[in-house]
Amino acid sequence: GTDAELASALRASGRAALRGPIERVSAVLARVDDEGQLDVGAFSSELFADIVPSWSTELAALHDHPSAEVRERVARILGTFPPTMASEDTVAAALAILLQDSEVSVVRAALRAVGRVQVSTAGARATELLRSEDWSVRLEAARTLGALDRPEPLIVALEADPYAYVREAAAEALRGHPEAREALIQAQNDDPEPFVRQAAAAALSTE
């Protein structure tokens, strides 16, 4: 039917555009919402749901695009893929490279993506980023490590990170981890920031 033909055309035209100049790349990326769905205006059909994931190879290839805005957008879109698809070599490899990006905004977006789609192989890099000089990167790294179920580096962050929001994120991410109990009790009793103490107490109450 018409919807099937349109969906097929959109898949093909999107793939072509993503291999083109930045104007075409940006135009396509701008049509993808925060849930990874393509804005097709008045059209609404389940046939359109897999259009953006069908561009996985082309999107992954943009990991080294000269535009930081494009790289950040790509990371965000890859983070909306189903976990089974995000674990595919091309997507996981692209996210691994984006985690090494020189732009903080791209790294933060990549951290959110690997946490959301559970790219377990990114745990080591997220642990490294928990030692970043940029507190906003450490904050996202703490959230990602929580999503990836990596308590050990989070315990270190809760005990030692100089930035309170990072300690709060670490406490929240340690909920349900018995091995973090001692560190959470110490944070509940001794952290200088009330909201960190509160986060630690909440984490302890739901062990």
Side-chain angles (χ1 to χ4, degrees):
T2 304
D3 281 356
E5 291 170 358
L6 177 58
S8 178
L10 287 169
R11 276 192 286 272
S13 62
R15 280 195 294 270
L18 290 170
R19 291 193 294 264
I22 186 170
E23 294 79 12
R24 296 187 71 196
V25 170
S26 296
V28 173
L29 297 181
R31 303 285 294 199
V32 182
D33 67 20
D34 287 342
E35 299 304 315
Q37 296 298 306
L38 184 67
D39 178 5
V40 288
F43 294 96
S44 178
S45 169
E46 291 183 4
L47 291 167
F48 300 138
D50 71 339
I51 289 176
V52 176
S54 77
W55 299 338
S56 61
T57 300
E58 288 76 18
L59 286 166
L62 293 170
H63 62 74
D64 60 352
H65 194 278
S67 165
E69 185 178 351
V70 166
R71 298 194 306 275
E72 178 184 357
R73 190 77 182 133
V74 164
R76 289 172 61 187
I77 293 171
L78 293 178
T80 67
F81 281 15
T84 51
M85 191 166 189
S87 64
E88 291 178 1
D89 289 347
T90 51
V91 175
L95 285 170
I97 293 169
L98 290 165
L99 285 173
Q100 305 277 353
D101 203 275
S102 58
E103 290 289 336
V104 165
S105 61
V106 178
V107 173
R108 287 198 305 257
L111 279 166
R112 284 192 290 271
V114 299
R116 185 172 181 177
V117 299
Q118 299 285 293
V119 181
S120 58
T121 53
R125 177 57 179 159
T127 299
E128 289 177 7
L129 291 169
L130 195 55
R131 298 189 290 271
S132 168
E133 292 183 1
D134 189 297
W135 71 265
S136 67
V137 171
R138 299 199 308 276
L139 178 64
E140 289 298 342
R143 291 170 175 164
T144 296
L145 287 164
L148 296 179
D149 203 26
R150 302 290 181 94
E152 294 82 4
L154 290 167
I155 292 171
V156 175
L158 176 61
E159 293 175 337
D161 197 281
Y163 205 80
Y165 289 119
V166 178
R167 299 196 304 277
E168 178 189 33
E172 290 171 349
L174 286 168
R175 184 172 301 185
H177 285 283
E179 64 269 50
R181 181 174 175 78
E182 185 177 332
L184 286 167
I185 290 172
Q186 183 174 346
Q188 178 187 22
N189 294 334
D190 300 334
D191 196 279
E193 291 292 342
F195 63 89
V196 179
R197 297 198 298 270
Q198 185 176 1
L204 285 164
S205 70
T206 54
E207 277 189 337

